[in-house]
Amino acid sequence: MIQLESDYFDNLDEKKIQSLIKRIEPYINKRVESYDRYRRKQSPNQFMRSAKGKVLVAFENYIVNMAKGYLSGKAPSFSFTNRDNLSEQDFFEYAAHVKKVLADNDNSSIFADLIHDFLTTGATYLCIIENAENEIEYHVSSSRSTVVVYDYMIEPNPIAMLRFHVRDNEKFLEITTANERARYNEKGERQGFYDYEDGEIRQIFKKELLWNKVPVIPFEDPDGQSIFEPALELIDTYENLLYNMKNMTQYNDNAKLLAYGTQAENAALFIDDNDNIVENPAWQQEIQRLLQSPAVHLQDGADLKWLTKDVNYTGIIEILKHLEELISMTTCVPALTDEAFTCPPAGGAATQQAKP
């Protein structure tokens, strides 16, 4: 949490802007890194890849989507209670206004986006705006570019919303307070941006606000953790085990054939006309005939065996299962492939059995 004095944003200059950028960049960078870990790529135009070239097992994606489906399966519902003892007419107008705001917004998708943003980065922000038709809209402001600043009260209040971005190696900061919205470069100079003014969209340098509060509702994990962050090392270990199994399997795919008590017809190496020791093509052909032949005739006492590496796959699989349980436990997301989740019998009711 970033906390500053309430009057910090009254007179902004280059020093304050640079200080703000320096404060928020660690938050932004960490959230971007967390989101990239979730999607396992840095661009939508790439395929998902595992870390350090290992075997990809996208637990992060599974954990986020499981939790998102559970938490955002039903959009928030709203009820109205006259706690301020308003007159019947005033309360009716208040309820009607709120219902219109709800009707002007897609609550289901916005709520799902909030949950997704929070699960992947540990923070999310609901930004409130007014469009050209004077309708109230709320949108998710990505936590990968947004940070909220609070005051020093016992229950801290937002005093500014900062939106950070980089363009052509130049850093820009958009600052929204209770009174105005403005954009600055890292030198503290105001920059033009497009917004509605007098019912038309145009380039302006300051947007006056009449909300009396910063138009944002912040949701931030106190520890800045994504839902899958406690299990990252476990996921790395899981992928590393699969990577090792893959390498061991490839080793046996290229196993060596050992011949006992038999002699090759051709020498493996010979000296060419330039006195260089080179591999004998005839020997290579002999080996290929041996490997491809449906039957091999050996003299008495001769034998052929494969030189392979014994792998205890059963033990490794048990470790993988234990890692799956630990990943599920540390992220508090159930593994639906577990035996505790049983399929209902044909024509029967669904049941769930808990492990002892």
Side-chain angles (χ1 to χ4, degrees):
M1 178 185 293
I2 300 177
Q3 292 180 278
L4 295 169
E5 296 292 345
S6 300
D7 60 354
Y8 183 91
F9 295 91
D10 290 346
N11 296 293
L12 293 172
D13 54 22
E14 180 179 358
K15 184 177 180 180
K16 283 187 175 181
I17 294 296
Q18 291 178 350
S19 176
L20 287 170
I21 292 176
K22 186 177 180 180
R23 281 173 174 262
I24 70 172
E25 276 191 303
Y27 290 84
I28 298 297
N29 293 338
K30 194 269 179 181
R31 293 171 185 174
V32 169
E33 183 180 356
S34 180
Y35 189 81
D36 287 343
R37 178 62 188 252
Y38 153 74
R39 65 178 181 171
R40 296 295 191 105
K41 55 185 178 180
Q42 297 182 350
S43 167
N45 299 322
Q46 297 174 339
F47 284 105
M48 295 178 71
R49 290 288 186 271
S50 62
K52 301 177 182 178
K54 299 176 183 176
V55 178
L56 172 65
V57 185
F59 277 108
E60 303 92 340
N61 192 281
Y62 168 81
I63 292 166
V64 168
N65 289 332
M66 282 292 299
K68 177 183 174 182
Y70 177 78
L71 296 173
S72 63
K74 182 179 179 181
S77 59
F78 301 86
S79 60
F80 303 93
T81 303
N82 190 359
R83 299 181 183 272
D84 296 327
N85 296 321
L86 300 175
S87 66
E88 184 176 348
Q89 179 63 27
D90 289 343
F91 181 71
F92 176 80
E93 292 180 358
Y94 165 77
H97 180 69
V98 173
K99 289 178 180 178
K100 184 179 186 309
V101 172
L102 296 175
D104 291 337
N105 293 273
D106 187 351
N107 291 294
S108 296
S109 62
I110 291 174
F111 183 59
D113 290 343
L114 279 172
I115 294 294
H116 184 267
D117 197 28
F118 184 83
L119 293 175
T120 53
T121 65
T124 190
Y125 304 93
L126 187 66
C127 184
I128 304 168
I129 64 172
E130 183 178 6
N131 63 23
E133 286 74 35
N134 300 117
E135 296 172 340
I136 304 301
E137 296 180 352
Y138 37 86
H139 301 273
V140 179
S141 185
S142 173
S143 59
R144 288 169 284 152
S145 61
T146 307
V147 175
V148 164
V149 178
Y150 303 84
D151 60 20
Y152 287 104
M153 293 185 66
I154 294 178
E155 184 178 356
N157 297 310
I159 59 175
M161 178 178 69
L162 312 181
R163 298 181 65 217
F164 172 78
H165 72 276
V166 179
R167 185 179 70 241
D168 297 331
N169 297 322
E170 187 175 4
K171 299 176 181 178
F172 295 89
L173 193 62
E174 182 180 283
I175 301 176
T176 303
T177 64
N179 302 316
E180 68 176 30
R181 182 160 70 96
R183 186 172 296 172
Y184 301 84
N185 62 15
E186 53 191 325
K187 298 178 182 179
E189 301 168 338
R190 290 210 179 198
Q191 304 293 300
F193 61 95
Y194 288 89
D195 204 333
Y196 291 104
E197 186 178 64
D198 300 327
E200 296 181 3
I201 189 168
R202 61 182 66 178
Q203 187 180 38
I204 56 178
F205 287 84
K206 181 177 74 172
K207 172 77 172 181
E208 184 179 3
L209 302 177
L210 304 174
W211 299 101
N212 295 323
K213 287 187 176 182
V214 182
V216 65
I217 303 174
F219 303 90
E220 297 178 343
D221 183 272
D223 300 314
Q225 291 183 356
S226 64
I227 188 173
F228 51 79
E229 189 170 336
L232 288 180
E233 289 196 10
L234 294 171
I235 296 172
D236 288 341
T237 302
Y238 192 100
E239 292 184 339
N240 192 52
L241 278 175
L242 286 181
Y243 179 69
N244 291 339
M245 289 179 64
K246 174 184 175 182
N247 287 341
M248 288 185 288
T249 302
Q250 289 177 338
Y251 173 87
N252 286 337
D253 285 344
N254 298 314
K256 304 297 184 182
L257 183 62
L258 301 182
Y260 297 92
T262 183
Q263 184 70 34
E265 296 177 4
N266 300 281
L269 303 174
F270 74 96
I271 300 176
D272 63 11
D273 296 337
N274 297 320
D275 294 331
N276 296 319
I277 299 176
V278 296
E279 192 173 79
N280 188 354
W283 179 80
Q284 280 288 349
Q285 294 175 5
E286 181 182 348
I287 294 299
Q288 290 301 318
R289 287 196 302 270
L290 176 63
L291 293 175
Q292 297 172 7
S293 177
V296 179
H297 300 280
L298 301 175
Q299 61 191 25
D300 292 340
D303 193 11
L304 292 176
K305 291 183 179 179
W306 287 106
L307 177 61
T308 61
K309 183 176 182 180
D310 292 333
V311 181
N312 183 10
Y313 288 106
T314 302
I316 296 176
I317 291 173
E318 287 301 316
I319 297 175
L320 291 175
K321 289 181 179 179
H322 184 56
L323 284 172
E324 291 173 6
E325 294 176 356
L326 289 175
I327 292 170
S328 177
M329 179 185 70
T330 55
T331 59
C332 300
V333 174
L336 292 185
T337 56
D338 192 86
E339 295 175 359
F341 295 88
T342 59
C343 296
T351 59
Q352 178 178 326
Q353 298 177 349
K355 283 187 176 180

